[in-house]
Structures are given as C-alpha cells and as structure tokens.
Amino acid sequence: MKKMMFFLLAGLLVCPSFVAALPFDTIEMTLSHGTDTHYVAFPNDISRNYYIDYHGTYTLDGTLQENVEIFCVENADWEPSSTEYSLLEMTAINDDIRQKYLQATWLANQYATGEATKEAAQLAIWETIIDIDMQESAGADALLTKLAQLTEEAYSQYADKWLLAVAPTIDGTFSASDEGLVPQNYLVANPNAPVPEPSTLLLLGAGLIGVGLTRKRFKK
C-alpha cells in the first residue's frame, strides 16, 4: 500500500481565512491515522491514496482528550512543523465559508451517533469543504444526498459540538494563508459542548404535568 501523508493536490488547495478574532484557546495536539485508505484516480498520473481515519490527543481546560476521533477538513503537500493549534468555534469562521463548516459538523456527528461509518463521514467532509469528488464512495454519497435535503437550521444544530483546530496557529491579525501557508486543519470534538437535559428530568416533568391534570379532573 502506497504511503501517502497528504491528500490534496496543489491545484485544488483551499486556503480559508478566518475572522480577525483571537481563538479562545490553543492546544498541543499529536495526530495519528489508521492504515485504511481510499484510492482516488486523478488524471496526469497523480492518483493518490487518502487516509480516512484520523485521531488526536490534546489537553483542553486541563482535561486530557486521548486518541479521540477527529476529521481532517483541509490538507496540503507539506507537513506541519508544529503540533500547536488554535481552536476556533464555528462562529469565528468567515460568513462566506462558514456554511461548509457547519455542514461538516453535521457530517461528523453522523459518525459520532453511529449513523455513518468513519470513512463515509470523512470522505463526505472532504467533498463538502474542498468541493472534490472522492469517487466510488456509496456511503459518502448517501450522506451528501441527505445533507442536501436539510435546511441550514437542521445541519447547524451540532455546531457547538465541534471545534476547528487550525495550524499554523493564528493570532487574530492574519490567517495562515496570509503567510503563504496552507493550513492542515481538523474538526475536534468540543468536550465543553452543552449537554442535553437528562431524559429523567423530562420524564419527571411529564409526570408532574400528569399529576396536575389528574388532580384538576378530580376537583371537577
């Protein structure tokens, strides 16, 4: 199996820029990937194998997040010289490209909830962010078909569950592309995302409503 560390061709590079706002945190993240790849045949003898299973280990707010599932959203033909990443919330992404990242959070959550495989979610994210056909991926195509039927409100509901890890880090005054660098960025799970209200509380509330209605009926 051909070992390929990077998947994006120079002619297809995407250099997103981010708003001039400081990231809310910076992390040191070590990356790893599985051995499974997805082969894509490009013209001009530049076909490649794409890694499809990425993991990251980092510490956020003093808590170690070890070997967690992450998704690559951009890449380039160079290896980052640093493991330092700026963490951005989806609201810190420019309006003109934010929609694609919001869609990527929905795709990532399809894997997180067991609705899709890691490969299908990863390939669909690349197709969405980079606008490139990953070819011969029925799972990714099914996800993208479902995504196309959703409203912005529907695919944006998971935005707070994911963060964008940007490398090289940014300081709020420039983007990586301003320095002539193409970022190799990742979606990482947000451990501080709001937790839905426990179902037990919902059941309790329903029970109290039922008791109230019953008492009201007996009073009549």
Side-chain angles (χ1 to χ4, degrees), residues 128-176:
T128 298
I129 298 293
I130 308 170
D131 194 21
I132 176 177
D133 184 6
M134 298 305 294
Q135 304 170 7
E136 298 181 3
S137 176
D141 291 342
L143 281 178
L144 292 171
T145 298
K146 185 176 180 180
L147 175 62
Q149 299 171 351
L150 299 179
T151 64
E152 182 173 351
E153 181 180 4
Y155 63 66
S156 299
Q157 61 181 306
Y158 304 109
D160 59 351
K161 294 182 180 297
W162 298 89
L163 302 169
L164 182 63
V166 180
T169 54
I170 59 176
D171 66 0
T173 62
F174 67 94
S175 69

Side-chain angles (χ1 to χ4, degrees), residues 18 21-23 25-29 78 80-88 164-179 181-185:
F18 307 99
L22 289 172
D25 207 344
T26 300
I27 59 171
E28 293 284 336
M29 182 167 65
W78 62 278
S81 59
S82 172
T83 58
E84 189 175 58
Y85 290 79
S86 293
L87 286 181
L88 300 176
L164 182 63
V166 180
T169 54
I170 59 176
D171 66 0
T173 62
F174 67 94
S175 69
S177 57
D178 291 333
E179 295 295 301
L181 301 173
V182 180
Q184 182 177 347
N185 303 329

Side-chain angles (χ1 to χ4, degrees), residues 7-215:
F7 74 89
L8 189 58
L9 304 178
L12 296 172
L13 295 179
V14 176
C15 304
S17 58
F18 307 99
V19 297
L22 289 172
F24 75 88
D25 207 344
T26 300
I27 59 171
E28 293 284 336
M29 182 167 65
T30 56
L31 301 169
S32 62
H33 55 73
T35 57
D36 291 340
T37 60
H38 180 82
Y39 181 76
V40 178
F42 287 103
N44 303 322
D45 195 30
I46 49 178
S47 302
R48 301 199 176 195
N49 287 317
Y50 298 76
Y51 287 119
I52 55 176
D53 187 12
Y54 293 86
H55 297 82
T57 296
Y58 57 96
T59 298
L60 181 60
D61 293 338
T63 302
L64 177 65
Q65 309 293 328
E66 190 171 12
N67 199 36
V68 297
E69 304 282 358
I70 62 176
F71 292 88
C72 181
V73 290
E74 291 102 13
N75 211 331
D77 288 338
W78 62 278
E79 185 173 2
S81 59
S82 172
T83 58
E84 189 175 58
Y85 290 79
S86 293
L87 286 181
L88 300 176
E89 296 175 326
M90 295 301 118
T91 54
I93 301 175
N94 279 344
D95 292 340
D96 57 342
I97 58 174
R98 185 184 302 154
Q99 185 180 46
K100 288 187 175 184
Y101 287 86
L102 291 174
Q103 292 173 337
T105 64
W106 181 87
L107 292 167
N109 210 69
Q110 293 300 290
Y111 169 73
T113 57
E115 300 295 323
T117 65
K118 183 72 178 287
E119 176 181 3
Q122 178 62 82
L123 295 179
I125 287 173
W126 279 331
E127 289 203 29
T128 298
I129 298 293
I130 308 170
D131 194 21
I132 176 177
D133 184 6
M134 298 305 294
Q135 304 170 7
E136 298 181 3
S137 176
D141 291 342
L143 281 178
L144 292 171
T145 298
K146 185 176 180 180
L147 175 62
Q149 299 171 351
L150 299 179
T151 64
E152 182 173 351
E153 181 180 4
Y155 63 66
S156 299
Q157 61 181 306
Y158 304 109
D160 59 351
K161 294 182 180 297
W162 298 89
L163 302 169
L164 182 63
V166 180
T169 54
I170 59 176
D171 66 0
T173 62
F174 67 94
S175 69
S177 57
D178 291 333
E179 295 295 301
L181 301 173
V182 180
Q184 182 177 347
N185 303 329
Y186 297 87
L187 280 183
V188 301
N190 181 6
N192 298 323
V195 178
E197 189 172 326
S199 58
T200 52
L201 292 181
L202 296 178
L203 291 174
L204 177 61
L208 291 175
I209 293 174
V211 171
L213 292 176
T214 301
R215 291 184 61 184

